[in-house]
Amino acid sequence: MEHQHLHAAPGMNHAGHDHHSMMIMDFRKRFYVVFVLTIPIMLLSTMIQHFMGVNWQFAGSQYILFALSSVVFFYGGWPFLKGLADEVKLKTPGMMFLIGFAITVAYIYSVAIVFGLEGMDFFWELATLILIMLLGHWIEMKSVAGASKELELLVQLMPAEAHMVMPDMVHDVKTDTLKENDIILVKPGEKVAADGIISEGESYLNESMLTGESKPVQKVKGDKVIAGAINGNGSIKVTVSHAAKDSYLSQVIKLVDDAQKSKSKTQLLADTAAKWLTIIALISGIATFLYWYLTGQSLAFAMERMVTVIVICCPHALGLAVPLVVAKSTALSAKNGLLIKNRTAFENARKITTIVFDKTGTLTVGRFEVSKVVSLQKDISENEIIRLASALEQKSEHPIATGILQKAKDLSISPPATESFNAITGKGVEATVEGKKILVVSPGYLKENNIPIPEGYTVNDIETVVFIIINKQLAGYIALSDEIRPESAEAVKTLQQHNIKSILLTGDNNKVAKSVSETLGLDSFIAEVLPHQKLEKIKELQNKGEFVAMTGDGVNDAPALAIADVGIAVGSGSDIAAETAGIVLVNSNPRDIVSLILFGKATYRKMIQNLAWATGYNVVALPLAAGVLYKQGILLSPAAGAVLMTVSTIVVAVNASLLKVK
């Protein structure tokens, strides 16, 4: 298939992109030259003169015809002849092989006529054929360029220059020279030139092109900003956190690009179909030729049928059917905060029957706030419990830890230092603080170690509790709770309308899980699961014949994400390379999961429509070209064949560009 140009990363390396537009220009130029030459060729052809009822023959007119047609053949047909040679070299006869073969046959035969073979030449057919092929390729390349345009738009989000803040002045520098810890100034209305942290100023930033979040987000000192986001009305200074090539946007562009290059089952199906179509074209072309020639038709007639069959059969539309949809869908998804790393995972989204929401963080906001602190020992104040707990949690990224540290900060308590810190997998943490051995653990730990749960211990369903143990004495507990995301219920409802079950899989206690599950109307929940058990639970669902999508946060759910049929990493906006997931959702918004599935379905529909059109058209057009209805007076000329082929390709391209994210 000669669609290598589709897989060349558009815009990433400007060379690749310029190469593409140069090819478009090249086809355009050849088209115009051939167009000008086709007019005298038509006028000099005996058949056209016959048609017009004139006789403009003069001595040597066929030599002029031969000369003009040779220019058309070698200059206009050059891209196809070159393509033919390349395909023969690679032993992959395809598109170019067929066109090249068809025009060569037509040319050689016509030249033979000029130099004495009996019959009618086909120069005008040859010229119109090449003309239409050039036009078709030119239009098709423009539509391919259109499908990759979304990626270009992502590339253009990166401003070329940044205002770098120097001790004495602000200096404009090229964005790609920025390094970690440089400070840049972003004026109102400008695009942020690099990922970083705001060091002064505050503003509202529009990140919609990167995350799909339409509302501008307020950012203050200490907040992260993403390169490519558009600054609102405040002026901000940003400390750059890494060089441009590592920025979130560059990662997205690279991801989109890789995804467009990666092949899925549908793509491989289309490639196989195109390969077969090429073989069928050659066989039917030769068979058609032999049939007509041996049943007494003229050599010219048999040749013409063969050329038409081969041209009509060009698996153009087939070759484009999938790549165009791929280019469009990958880039569109990236704009909407869905990053597709693996095409197959994305195309499989339409088969999902069960979605496992890994932690409450997707369905809930994922920010735990301390809702109560209870001391169980007279000589220990509640603030002391927070102070000691915060000491152990300062190393952790866990939402509960963040909640406790936030509380300490609100009470302006500074966490003391810890020694011999140790994490107890899935159960909590332990360390020595100021000479005391302290544990911050889950209720499960108390159960396992037969520590009685204290009297008067009450928490409501949606609270998560950690206990503080000082020198083996239960000292108190902290309850935290997490609020449910407003979009969750609606997302779950939509999934149910599409017959997709939602299951909550969480390390949280049963009560929290039950409460979240009931509030949202989930199909079921599995609680108190340790990380390594998640994998087992997913396998169990798969063994029941479910097609499982797992949403997790990419880093600690790697094994489970890898084993799920579709792994969706959520909320790892900055850590885009969420290792094992096939799809990354920038916003951890459950609504995005719904859009992902619906968009996956829409994309697949488009591919199938395109493949059906491309093959169906051949089923109808091929017999007509071969002359099945010759007796009924229906016969397609090579030029008509070329027109049909071009139209079918354009239908496929237009259909691909109609793809939308709901």
Side-chain angles (χ1 to χ4, degrees):
M1 323 252 358
E2 38 66 90
H3 288 292
Q4 273 69 38
H5 55 260
L6 214 160
H7 309 300
M12 275 304 286
N13 41 0
H14 284 289
H17 169 57
D18 297 341
H19 172 66
H20 192 91
S21 41
M22 272 167 62
M23 276 173 79
I24 295 180
M25 300 288 288
D26 182 57
F27 274 101
R28 193 172 79 187
K29 191 169 80 203
R30 289 179 199 269
F31 169 77
Y32 285 126
V33 172
V34 172
F35 182 69
V36 171
L37 293 174
T38 303
I39 300 166
I41 290 176
M42 299 281 283
L43 295 176
L44 286 170
S45 290
T46 23
M47 186 163 163
I48 301 282
Q49 292 178 17
H50 202 69
F51 206 57
M52 291 165 38
V54 292
N55 178 14
W56 294 337
Q57 291 312 57
F58 51 87
S61 64
Q62 77 263 46
Y63 295 114
I64 296 174
L65 191 55
F66 161 68
L68 292 174
S69 304
S70 299
V71 176
V72 168
F73 175 69
F74 288 110
Y75 179 70
W78 174 249
F80 309 114
L81 298 172
K82 182 172 166 300
L84 176 142
D86 292 347
E87 287 181 356
V88 169
K89 243 193 292 198
L90 294 169
K91 301 195 179 53
T92 52
M95 196 48 233
M96 291 301 194
F97 181 83
L98 292 183
I99 301 179
F101 180 70
I103 60 179
T104 309
V105 168
Y107 178 71
I108 292 174
Y109 172 73
S110 305
V111 172
I113 302 275
V114 173
F115 293 106
L117 187 72
E118 276 299 298
M120 284 274 269
D121 64 63
F122 261 34
F123 281 131
W124 74 273
E125 277 108 328
L126 174 69
T128 46
L129 180 61
I130 290 178
L131 184 70
I132 290 158
M133 287 289 181
L134 287 169
L135 178 68
H137 264 71
W138 169 26
I139 294 175
E140 172 206 314
M141 288 173 77
K142 282 184 75 156
S143 53
V144 173
S148 316
K149 209 184 278 95
E150 264 86 7
L151 185 57
E152 300 262 305
L153 291 175
L154 285 174
V155 177
Q156 286 161 16
L157 279 180
M158 260 303 201
E161 298 210 317
H163 313 301
M164 185 162 157
V165 181
M166 303 277 191
D168 48 347
M169 56 179 260
V170 175
H171 188 62
D172 284 356
V173 297
K174 288 257 180 290
T175 304
D176 39 22
T177 61
L178 293 174
K179 339 178 270 307
E180 194 178 342
N181 297 331
D182 283 346
I183 294 177
I184 54 172
L185 172 69
V186 185
K187 299 177 186 165
E190 291 186 332
K191 288 180 188 151
V192 179
D195 293 1
I197 312 276
I198 297 185
S199 56
E200 66 178 84
E202 57 183 82
S203 186
Y204 279 85
L205 266 68
N206 178 347
E207 303 180 335
S208 64
M209 186 63 194
L210 302 157
T211 63
E213 174 55 64
S214 49
K215 301 191 294 288
V217 195
Q218 185 178 15
K219 301 277 184 172
V220 297
K221 187 175 167 172
D223 283 348
K224 274 189 185 154
V225 292
I226 322 179
I230 299 162
N231 187 13
N233 46 16
S235 210
I236 51 176
K237 282 188 184 169
V238 175
T239 306
V240 177
S241 47
H242 39 226
K245 65 172 189 318
D246 300 325
S247 74
Y248 171 77
L249 185 60
S250 311
Q251 303 259 17
V252 172
I253 291 169
K254 183 175 172 335
L255 257 183
V256 172
D257 202 52
D258 291 347
Q260 291 187 1
K261 286 194 190 111
S262 77
K263 294 205 167 181
S264 68
K265 299 237 177 23
T266 332
Q267 172 64 52
L268 296 169
L269 174 78
D271 285 355
T272 320
K275 217 181 333 334
W276 276 105
L277 197 53
T278 306
I279 296 167
I280 292 168
L282 282 171
I283 294 171
S284 13
I286 292 164
T288 305
F289 172 75
L290 292 172
Y291 173 79
W292 289 116
Y293 190 55
L294 299 173
T295 54
Q297 290 285 354
S298 72
L299 184 60
F301 182 86
M303 284 277 191
E304 183 185 50
R305 287 306 89 220
M306 172 167 88
V307 168
T308 312
V309 166
I310 286 178
V311 166
I312 272 220
C313 237
C314 280
H316 235 187
L318 248 183
L320 278 182
V322 175
L324 278 176
V325 179
V326 168
K328 179 88 183 162
S329 70
T330 314
L332 266 181
S333 323
K335 274 188 181 175
N336 286 279
L338 307 172
L339 299 174
I340 299 170
K341 291 179 60 179
N342 175 327
R343 293 293 320 168
T344 306
F346 173 60
E347 282 174 33
N348 282 343
R350 68 196 161 82
K351 299 188 210 158
I352 294 171
T353 56
T354 299
I355 290 200
V356 175
F357 288 99
D358 151 55
K359 50 177 192 333
T360 31
T362 315
L363 297 168
T364 56
V365 180
R367 269 201 310 273
F368 279 93
E369 290 176 359
V370 172
S371 45
K372 67 162 93 98
V373 183
V374 177
S375 163
L376 300 168
Q377 302 211 3
K378 291 194 183 59
D379 54 346
I380 297 179
S381 70
E382 282 153 26
N383 281 11
E384 180 63 4
I385 286 188
I386 288 284
R387 189 176 84 93
L388 294 171
S390 67
L392 271 72
E393 300 292 15
Q394 57 196 350
K395 299 266 192 314
S396 169
E397 289 288 308
H398 196 280
I400 291 181
T402 322
I404 293 177
L405 289 169
Q406 188 55 48
K407 183 74 177 168
K409 202 165 158 189
D410 297 346
L411 296 169
S412 39
I413 298 174
S414 54
T418 60
E419 288 157 34
S420 54
F421 175 88
N422 174 35
I424 315 162
T425 311
K427 299 284 188 279
V429 285
E430 55 183 349
T432 309
V433 178
E434 298 165 350
K436 299 193 267 267
K437 187 166 178 359
I438 293 178
L439 280 76
V440 176
V441 290
S442 68
Y445 180 89
L446 298 193
K447 255 192 231 131
E448 267 177 31
N449 293 280
N450 302 323
I451 303 171
I453 289 203
E455 309 260 315
Y457 164 71
T458 54
V459 285
N460 66 22
D461 287 353
I462 56 170
E463 284 180 320
T464 298
V465 178
V466 290
F467 290 93
I468 317 299
I469 299 175
I470 304 179
N471 289 338
K472 303 206 171 143
Q473 284 275 316
L474 195 54
Y477 57 91
I478 301 173
L480 303 100
S481 61
D482 182 6
E483 61 177 305
I484 286 179
R485 272 178 180 265
E487 311 92 0
S488 298
E490 175 197 340
V492 171
K493 231 203 311 314
T494 318
L495 288 171
Q496 279 160 345
Q497 285 160 4
H498 288 88
N499 299 323
I500 295 169
K501 298 201 255 317
S502 347
I503 297 180
L504 178 63
L505 181 66
T506 173
D508 256 345
N509 62 47
N510 246 322
K511 284 179 172 169
V512 173
K514 186 167 189 282
S515 139
V516 169
S517 172
E518 281 168 3
T519 315
L520 293 173
L522 297 176
D523 293 275
S524 64
F525 67 90
I526 309 169
E528 302 188 13
V529 199
L530 290 172
H532 62 270
Q533 294 169 329
K534 287 181 180 167
L535 193 114
E536 302 305 319
K537 297 292 178 200
I538 287 181
K539 273 194 193 150
E540 275 168 39
L541 288 166
Q542 287 171 328
N543 294 340
K544 289 185 198 149
E546 298 286 342
F547 199 88
V548 185
M550 154 95 180
T551 64
D553 52 7
V555 189
N556 54 16
D557 300 319
L561 284 172
I563 199 159
D565 297 294
V566 178
I568 304 172
V570 287
S572 39
S574 50
D575 171 35
I576 201 172
E579 290 310 321
T580 44
I583 297 159
V584 181
L585 294 187
V586 180
N587 277 334
S588 20
N589 181 341
R591 258 213 325 257
D592 289 349
I593 295 176
V594 178
S595 350
L596 169 79
I597 293 176
L598 298 179
F599 187 53
K601 286 188 168 165
T603 302
Y604 187 76
R605 264 201 312 276
K606 278 272 179 270
M607 290 182 180
I608 295 303
Q609 282 165 7
N610 276 355
L611 288 174
W613 166 264
T615 40
Y617 138 85
N618 276 303
V619 172
V620 176
L622 206 155
L624 287 181
V628 174
L629 297 181
Y630 175 53
K631 300 266 188 296
Q632 286 73 27
I634 299 179
L635 209 53
L636 290 172
S637 73
V643 168
L644 276 177
M645 188 204 90
T646 300
V647 169
S648 99
T649 308
I650 293 167
V651 168
V652 165
V654 169
N655 189 31
S657 67
L658 295 175
L659 188 65
K660 299 253 184 309
V661 177
K662 299 254 183 323

